[in-house]
Each structure stands twice: as structure tokens, then as C-alpha cells.
Amino acid sequence: MNHQPLLARRAAKEVPALFRAGAASPRGVIPLTYGFPDPGSFPIESLVEATARVLRDEGHEALQYGPIAGPRPLLALLVAKLAAEGLAVSEDNLLVTAGGSQGIDLITHLLVDPGDPVIVEAPTFIGALQTFRNAEADLYEVTLDGDGLQPPRLEDVLRDLQAAGKRAKLIYTIPTFQNPAGVTLAGERRRALVALARRYGTMLVEDDAYSELRYDGAPLPFLYSLDPEGAVFQVRTFSKILAAGLRLGYVVAPRALLPRLLQLKVDVGTSPFAGHLAAAFAGDGPGALDRLTAHIAELKEVYRARRDAMLGALAEYAPPDVSWTVPQGGFFTWLTLPEGLDAGALLPEAEAAGVTYIPGASYFARGDGRRNLRLAFSFLPADELVEGVRRLCRVVGEAAAR
Amino acid sequence: MNHQPLLARRAAKEVPALFRAGAASPRGVIPLTYGFPDPGSFPIESLVEATARVLRDEGHEALQYGPIAGPRPLLALLVAKLAAEGLAVSEDNLLVTAGGSQGIDLITHLLVDPGDPVIVEAPTFIGALQTFRNAEADLYEVTLDGDGLQPPRLEDVLRDLQAAGKRAKLIYTIPTFQNPAGVTLAGERRRALVALARRYGTMLVEDDAYSELRYDGAPLPFLYSLDPEGAVFQVRTFSKILAAGLRLGYVVAPRALLPRLLQLKVDVGTSPFAGHLAAAFAGDGPGALDRLTAHIAELKEVYRARRDAMLGALAEYAPPDVSWTVPQGGFFTWLTLPEGLDAGALLPEAEAAGVTYIPGASYFARGDGRRNLRLAFSFLPADELVEGVRRLCRVVGEAAAR
């Protein structure tokens, strides 16, 4: 009964498939691929208790349609949580979303018409690239160094666009513990970035999925807090600090733009059940944070140890001319292989040797990244990380010697 | 710190705000407005038990990122549930979504470029209208009668478009217990509709949010089952049969188109937690349905009694020249007021008299519906429905007498 519909332009071209959690690695292959949270850290019994409380005490709201912006207990929690992080916002700045990814999608729909310029970091988050491609954005890249996005390079792109009579609709950045590069935008660059967005009349999208998970060093100001009610959207998530499976995130937005985001959020609101549950888990009473704060402190211990194990193994086993970033937080480090090697071409050999990773090219809008690869240290226990790195380094060493 | 971004076209024009559950009616006003499920029917204790089971036995999957198409236990449940309803599909036909609304949104993104023709029923679901407007679709309407959409009227539109060198990208229809009209597409019209979609090279989107809640009469074939793997997408939801607050729905799609829908679903998959929970609630073991089936049977008793109460009150209190549809299922009846009356203009008077409703004009793409209004019988107990209808009929009667 074949019937061929006319597809929209965005769907008619080939786009790369998003990763799937279900695609398990072959037996015996250590996956250093996915930025998944540690399943051993899920707070099962606290969630059992919190769910029972939500269903019995707040079931009439948690199981019903709710406000599009988000359930009230969660909004109260977010205001308190952000205040504790130094970000003063009210409920009028908040929109609860299905993970951070829906936040990026909504902001893209708000700003981007087909053909509009969008500036991304190189490398950047694969899901965001997919979202911008679905919107038929015209993608421009700005390279990163060890201190994150380079403002002069960004200004070059903005100036070139202006000279061509165009204006970037948004600059997408992951300033803190970047995915995939593991680097963090330096403090003075944060101010420069906001100033550039204002000068060239564009918006910053600050994807902050990891800032709660800092293992070293002092917190840096959010881009949003450098320009509240101004040129910044902040995209956040509970995926890394509570449970990815709840699909719970939020956008911090200038008050004036929130109603427009609401109009584009046609899913009748993100799960009230998940929102009530996150708030009930976080602590007892409106805006209480103590249980969530304690849980995040535990997570930091777990992930710091894993990061240290992976970096230690790299220091021990990496052949000469391999370099990597040293993340102060988050889930990833980013490797650069010796000249002449190609991380994509090397992957079958690595998998045959019992380790797998995501080659760097996937993280670039316009190619590049052949010598790079991303390693995640979030998902596996330390001994598997060490063994995975050992296998990888042997394969790289052999290839470099050829 | 004002900073005015350039908005995308879809966001720069005014669109009607979606309804919000939080917007409570003024004290003492009976809301016959929202198609919300009966909160008294939420199966609280069964959900407490199922959640504890999911968290303890399946927590590593339910709290983690999952497959974009949906969690395996839910897909197994859906295959079994649809088979029991006479729809033979496999997991390759299924995509789990954030309620039915995200399904409509994804299909729209798959098919519709700005300016593309989309055909809707008049009246139709407000959320779908908003979705099509966000996509900058060019909307065409086909009127309903007591047996649903009229195939000759539909063919007029399809033929006119063809004559103008255009092709409708999709026809959006709610064939069973239509929202807002409460009517059901007659059996022979279903075949005619599918034949027209095929003849004119367009896709049908069968929004089926209510078919499980049939109070009278025999089930009719799904449009999807009249043309499997062909010209039909079916959009479904758990909002009416389990809990709207889980935001859980699904799309039944031709196998060949499913990967393209997955590519557009950039939210990293709908909540694995909600999916595992729905499957665990439905019954013990893969694909088990017994608890869900029993729950739906209870819901039908509740809603049938409410429908009967509302229709009984209309028969008792309605002034002459008011007519209404007699729904065989679902949540709504649709009133037509005497000539000369305007349901929107009458609303303040009705609210002053202690009852509120949604005026018909909201449900039309291009105006019209002034004499119509929608009444929902799902949310309130029978005595409040009767009193609400009594107040409404008094206001209408007084206005008609002026």
C-alpha cells in the first residue's frame, strides 16, 4: 500500500541519526561514547518515597493537565535553586521543558527562519546541530581553545555577516564544561561574549547542562547573570543531576520573550508528574533544596573520581603527541590524535580491540575534527574507564607507529 | 537591559494563547470549558505500586536516556493494545510522544513548509490549529455535519487546490468523538476519505484521542487500518485513559516514514520513566493489558453517566431553537444557539450567571462559529454539570427573548 507523501524541505534531506541509548555496544567492548549519567547513582528509594507522596498528596495536579510554563512546585524550586547559584529570577523568567533539548528547539523556533545565520562552537553538541539543521539554519562555526570560545574569532564571523547584510539570529554556546570539548569559557571572555551579542544585535543561547557538576576551581558567572532580561537565554536540565529518564529541563528567558516561547510550546506543557516529583524529591516544602543539594554533592564525588581515573589512565598510557583537555567538571574529555591519524578511520580497529568512542567529526557543522574524539567518563566505573583508555591508547600507539 | 531580538516569522505574529489548566474559574462559576479527565478517576494506589516496581526493578532504564522511539516495555504494550483494538502494527510503526500534541507537531514538521496547504475540519482542535499556524501553513476548512467530515466538500477543496497547481500536505481529522463537535465520521465516509487522500496525493492525520471511551454503538474502523503502511498517520494519547499529567502519547506511522519522524524528534525521546510506568500499570508482564482494560471500563461508566447528565439537562432546560450534538463517546457536545445570538458576546453574561464555556469561534481557522459553543462533560460531577447547563440555558433563553 505504498504512498509517497511530499515531505517538507527539512525532512527531505538526509540528517545524521541521533544517538540511541538502546544501541548497546557489542559484548566486551567498553563504551566511552555516551554522556549518560551513572545509573548506580540514581536515588531509587528517595524517588519511591517522593512519588508516593506526590501521587497521594498532589495527584489531582500531578496527573492532570497543568500550566504550560510548568507546575507550580517545580517553578518554586527553580527560583530557589537559581538564587542559590547566584541567579536572581522570578517565575516569569521560567519555562519547564522536556529536557534541555526541547529548550534549544523552542528558542530555535522562536528566532530562526529558513536560511537565517546561526553561530555555533566548533566542536559542539550533536543534538543542537540537528535542531539547527531541522530549522534550515545557515550554520557558522567559531573554534574553541583551552579557554573556550574565542571572542575575536566570533567577532570576525559577526563582522563578516554584517558586511554581507546579514544578522546572526543566535549564538549557541556551552560555556561551562563544554560538550564535547570539556573546556570552560574564561571569565573575561564571558563579558566579551555578552558585549558582542549586544553590539551585533543577536541572542546568546547559554546551554548549561553541567555547571552543578564542578570538581575543581571556583564557579564563573552565568552568561545570563551578566545580562539579565537582555540578550541571553539559558537552557538547563535535570538529566545530569537527578535522572535523564524524567526528561525534565527548563529555560531561563527574558520576561518579555516568555509568552512567545509559551505560544510555540504546543505540547500542552511538560509532564506535571515529573515536575511535581522533582520538586518533592528536592526537599520538604516549597522551594526546599536540601535533598537535591546533598544528592548533587554525592554525584560530584562519584564523577570527580571517574574523571581522575580517566585522566590518570591517559597520563599513564597515551602515546606521544596525543593531547587531551582537562575538564574541571561535566562528563567529557576531548582527545587530539597525532598528525596523520583519523579518529573515524581508527574506530573499527578500536572496537576490535574492545573499546569504542565518538569520532570528533560528528561534532562539527562543516566537517573537520578528523584528529579528534570524545571520551565520556560519566557512565562507567573507574576500572572500566582505565581499561578502556588503555585499549584505546594501544590502538592509537600502533597506528601512529605505522 | 532591554534587547530586542529579531524573531522568526512564526513568532512575530500574534497567535492565540493556548488554554492553561492553572487559570481557575472565578469562585462559584461552573467551568464547562476544559476537556480535562475526571481527577477522581486517577488510579492513585495502582500508580504508587507500579512506580515503586518500575523504580526498583527497571530503574536503570526508566531513569536513563532511552531509545528515541520509546521504551521497550511501552512499545510491547502498544503493539498488544492496538492488536486488541483491531490494528495490526509492529514496533517499527510506533513512536512514543509527549502526548498527542507532540505527534501532531512532529508530523507537521515532517510534511509542511511555510505556505503549504493544510486541510482541517471546521470546527477543530485548538492545539492543532496553533501547531499549523506555527508552521505557517495555509489553512483550508471543510465543514462537518452530524456524520463528521463531508467527503464531497473535502473533494471540492482538494480539486480547487489541484486546479491552482497546489497539493495539500495533510488533512487533519478527528474522526471519532470529534473535538469540539462531538460527532463521529460515518463508516462509509471513512473509506471515501482514505480514497480521496490517495487520489490527491496527500496524507491523512487521524487524531484519535477518544476512541477507547465509547459509550454507545459499535466501533468503526480506524482510518489507519483502512490503509496500513499507506496514506495515514494515527495520533494517540494516554491523557484520557490513564493520566494527562504523564504527557504520554504515540504516533502510528507507515514504517517507511518512522525514521524521518525520529530525526525530527530532537528531545532525546519522551520520558522513559512515564513509559515504563504506563506499561507497568497496564498489567504484569510484557504486553499485559488487563489492568488498563479494567480501568478504561471504569472510566466509561463514569463518563457515560456524565454525558447522560449533561444531555438530560439540555433536554430539560434548553430554550427552543438551541440544538446540540449527541456524542457516542469522548468528552464534548457542541451547541448551536438560536439565530442572532453570539456565543462570544454572551460569555460575560453567562459568567455573571455562574457558568463558563469556550465560544465556538476559537475552533475555526477562518472565523465562523459565532452561534456555537463547546461544552465538556468530562471534568465535573453530574450535579455540577446539570446546574451549569441550567444556568447556561437560562442566559441563552433570556438573550433569545430580547
Side-chain angles (χ1 to χ4, degrees), chain B residues 344-355:
Chain B
L346 211 59
L347 187 58
E349 207 173 322
E351 291 188 341
V355 63

Side-chain angles (χ1 to χ4, degrees), chain B residues 228-239:
Chain B
E229 305 294 339
V232 186
F233 290 101
Q234 189 183 63
V235 174
R236 306 289 295 264
T237 181
F238 281 90
S239 292

Side-chain angles (χ1 to χ4, degrees), chain A residues 10-11 65 109 240 260, chain B residues 10-11 65 109 130 240 260:
Chain A
R10 69 177 71 82
Y65 292 109
H109 277 84
K240 293 17 176 191
R260 299 220 169 257
Chain B
R10 69 177 71 81
Y65 292 109
H109 277 83
Q130 171 112 336
K240 296 12 178 194
R260 299 219 169 257

Side-chain angles (χ1 to χ4, degrees), chain B residues 38-352:
Chain B
D38 168 36
S41 300
F42 294 144
I44 301 287
E45 290 307 318
S46 296
L47 286 172
V48 169
E49 180 276 320
T51 311
R53 194 151 37 97
V54 160
L55 287 167
R56 289 181 178 134
D57 299 348
E58 304 163 16
H60 284 207
E61 290 188 350
L63 296 175
Q64 188 59 278
Y65 292 109
I68 309 287
R72 287 196 175 68
L74 182 58
L75 294 176
L77 165 68
L78 293 176
V79 169
K81 179 177 185 297
L82 292 169
E85 295 173 5
L87 201 55
V89 300
S90 81
E91 297 192 5
D92 297 338
N93 297 109
L94 295 172
L95 172 60
V96 177
T97 55
S101 293
Q102 194 195 29
I104 301 170
D105 197 43
L106 286 171
I107 294 165
T108 303
H109 277 83
L110 179 72
L111 297 174
V112 179
D113 285 313
D116 278 348
V118 161
I119 299 175
V120 297
E121 296 171 331
T124 192
F125 172 46
I126 293 176
L129 286 177
Q130 171 112 336
T131 299
F132 300 140
R133 286 179 176 133
N134 285 345
E136 301 176 77
D138 191 13
L139 290 170
Y140 293 81
E141 293 188 315
V142 178
T143 54
L144 302 177
D145 64 17
D147 284 328
L149 193 145
Q150 304 171 69
R153 298 281 182 96
L154 173 62
E155 183 153 24
D156 288 345
V157 174
L158 289 166
R159 202 186 290 115
D160 288 353
L161 282 168
Q162 193 176 58
K166 296 177 182 176
R167 205 207 288 195
K169 284 298 189 79
L170 67 90
I171 302 163
Y172 173 74
T173 174
I174 309 168
T176 305
F177 320 139
Q178 210 256 7
N179 174 12
V183 300
T184 292
L185 187 67
E188 69 283 7
R189 291 191 182 184
R190 293 179 180 232
R191 287 181 177 79
L193 193 49
V194 170
L196 284 171
R198 290 201 148 258
R199 189 173 319 143
Y200 288 88
T202 185
M203 291 296 287
L204 284 165
V205 179
E206 175 183 33
D207 187 350
D208 182 284
Y210 305 99
S211 68
E212 292 99 334
L213 300 173
R214 174 178 279 282
Y215 318 131
D216 306 318
L220 293 167
F222 295 119
L223 299 182
Y224 190 91
S225 63
L226 295 176
D227 190 16
E229 305 294 339
V232 186
F233 290 101
Q234 189 183 63
V235 174
R236 306 289 295 264
T237 181
F238 281 90
S239 292
K240 296 12 178 194
I241 58 168
L242 179 52
L246 295 181
R247 308 306 308 121
L248 204 55
Y250 50 102
V251 171
V252 185
R255 195 172 312 216
L257 293 173
L258 204 79
R260 299 219 169 257
L261 285 175
L262 287 172
Q263 288 173 334
L264 295 171
K265 190 164 174 11
V266 291
D267 64 3
V268 205
T270 291
S271 172
F273 182 59
H276 279 258
L277 176 54
F281 169 80
D284 293 318
L289 277 175
D290 49 304
R291 200 180 295 108
L292 179 60
T293 304
H295 181 60
I296 291 173
E298 287 170 30
L299 291 177
K300 285 166 68 169
E301 293 307 310
V302 170
Y303 291 129
R304 180 188 289 113
R306 291 182 175 195
R307 178 202 61 170
D308 291 346
M310 179 172 270
L311 295 181
L314 283 166
E316 183 168 353
Y317 299 117
D321 300 322
V322 172
S323 63
W324 55 91
T325 59
V326 175
Q328 293 193 305
F331 282 6
F332 309 109
T333 180
W334 180 247
L335 262 65
T336 305
L337 301 183
E339 232 166 302
L341 292 193
D342 180 320
L346 211 59
L347 187 58
E349 207 173 322
E351 291 188 341

Side-chain angles (χ1 to χ4, degrees), chain B residues 339-392:
Chain B
E339 232 166 302
L341 292 193
D342 180 320
L346 211 59
L347 187 58
E349 207 173 322
E351 291 188 341
V355 63
T356 187
Y357 54 83
I358 303 187
S362 310
Y363 299 95
F364 288 80
R366 299 169 183 272
D368 212 345
R370 288 162 53 110
R371 280 172 60 200
N372 297 112
L373 58 91
R374 188 188 79 170
L375 299 183
F377 53 80
S378 54
F379 187 59
L380 296 176
D383 58 339
E384 291 192 60
L385 294 174
V386 170
E387 176 59 19
V389 167
R390 200 186 59 81
R391 292 177 187 177
L392 173 66

